[in-house]
Amino acid sequence: MNASSPVIVLLAAGEASRFGSLKQLAMIDGEPMVRRAARQALASGVPVLVVLGSGAEQVATVLADLPLQTVVHEGWRDGLGSSLAAGVRAVQHAHPQPSGVLVMLADQPRLGTALLAHLLALHAQSPTQIIATAQPGGAGPPALFPRSELDALAAARGQHGAREWLRRDPARVTLVDPTHCSADLRDIDTPDDLHRLTAS
């Protein structure tokens, strides 16, 4: 990796209490959800780091043959912000001077590759900008944070993940319309969500 490359951080650490089981392993189109998300990330051509927590050993097993890095966040119970911070710290440790971090969620299994490619292309053009996906209520993930934001993200705590971080200062965020990339941003929080997604 060269010094100007971003790194994708795929967050897959949560307990998924509303789902009732380890949703990272829920099957989407014949493969575990986390693996599907990881393959979409890898298709972008930049390094991928997956943050594991709940059920880490089981989740790591379905990722074992993929060319990515995993990190187990022992404090995953502290919330999404804590897992995001752990991922950013791992990036800083493994990849000196990355140009930024693209934050993805493992429970958006049909995101597609076009939106990720578009975010990365915009980052290449404007490497100091925060670039996020336009969603109801404001900006959300996937979102790309430039190098200047990484130290602050590495110190994040608690339940607040990328979405809350982006909404603190919306004037600094460039929004991307996901419909232009045919992206499906639906996330999986409950078994009903999974049923609706797989039935569509």
Side-chain angles (χ1 to χ4, degrees), residues 53-117:
S54 179
E57 186 173 338
Q58 296 164 270
V59 177
T61 297
V62 303
L63 301 173
D65 64 324
L66 298 179
L68 49 75
Q69 178 185 355
T70 59
V71 59
V72 178
H73 176 43
E74 301 293 350
W76 60 268
R77 291 179 182 82
D78 294 335
L80 188 59
S82 174
S83 296
L84 171 60
V88 172
R89 290 194 299 269
V91 167
Q92 291 176 312
H93 178 74
H95 302 278
Q97 299 300 307
S99 65
V101 163
L102 197 170
V103 179
M104 284 180 62
L105 305 179
D107 62 1
Q108 290 179 323
R110 287 195 176 158
L111 187 67
T113 57
L115 177 58
L116 299 178

Side-chain angles (χ1 to χ4, degrees), residues 1-180:
M1 178 188 127
N2 60 52
S4 63
S5 175
V7 176
I8 291 178
V9 170
L10 177 62
L11 299 178
E15 184 179 21
S17 57
R18 284 192 288 165
F19 194 78
S21 61
L22 200 59
K23 74 174 177 181
Q24 295 93 323
L25 302 182
M27 299 301 286
I28 306 285
D29 301 331
E31 70 180 327
M33 179 162 58
V34 67
R35 182 180 173 88
R36 181 182 175 87
R39 286 197 307 101
Q40 291 178 95
L42 287 165
S44 68
V46 302
V48 176
L49 184 146
V50 184
V51 182
L52 307 179
S54 179
E57 186 173 338
Q58 296 164 270
V59 177
T61 297
V62 303
L63 301 173
D65 64 324
L66 298 179
L68 49 75
Q69 178 185 355
T70 59
V71 59
V72 178
H73 176 43
E74 301 293 350
W76 60 268
R77 291 179 182 82
D78 294 335
L80 188 59
S82 174
S83 296
L84 171 60
V88 172
R89 290 194 299 269
V91 167
Q92 291 176 312
H93 178 74
H95 302 278
Q97 299 300 307
S99 65
V101 163
L102 197 170
V103 179
M104 284 180 62
L105 305 179
D107 62 1
Q108 290 179 323
R110 287 195 176 158
L111 187 67
T113 57
L115 177 58
L116 299 178
H118 186 52
L119 291 169
L120 290 166
L122 290 175
H123 173 68
Q125 297 168 10
S126 302
T128 63
Q129 296 296 308
I130 300 172
I131 306 166
T133 306
Q135 298 175 22
L144 209 157
F145 297 90
R147 182 187 302 165
S148 61
E149 300 295 315
L150 299 190
D151 285 345
L153 286 173
R157 307 175 81 176
Q159 298 293 331
H160 299 301
R163 184 175 283 106
E164 287 75 12
W165 188 275
L166 292 166
R167 291 173 184 176
R168 292 178 186 177
D169 192 359
R172 298 186 56 215
V173 179
T174 298
L175 286 178
V176 171
D177 184 347
T179 61
H180 294 165

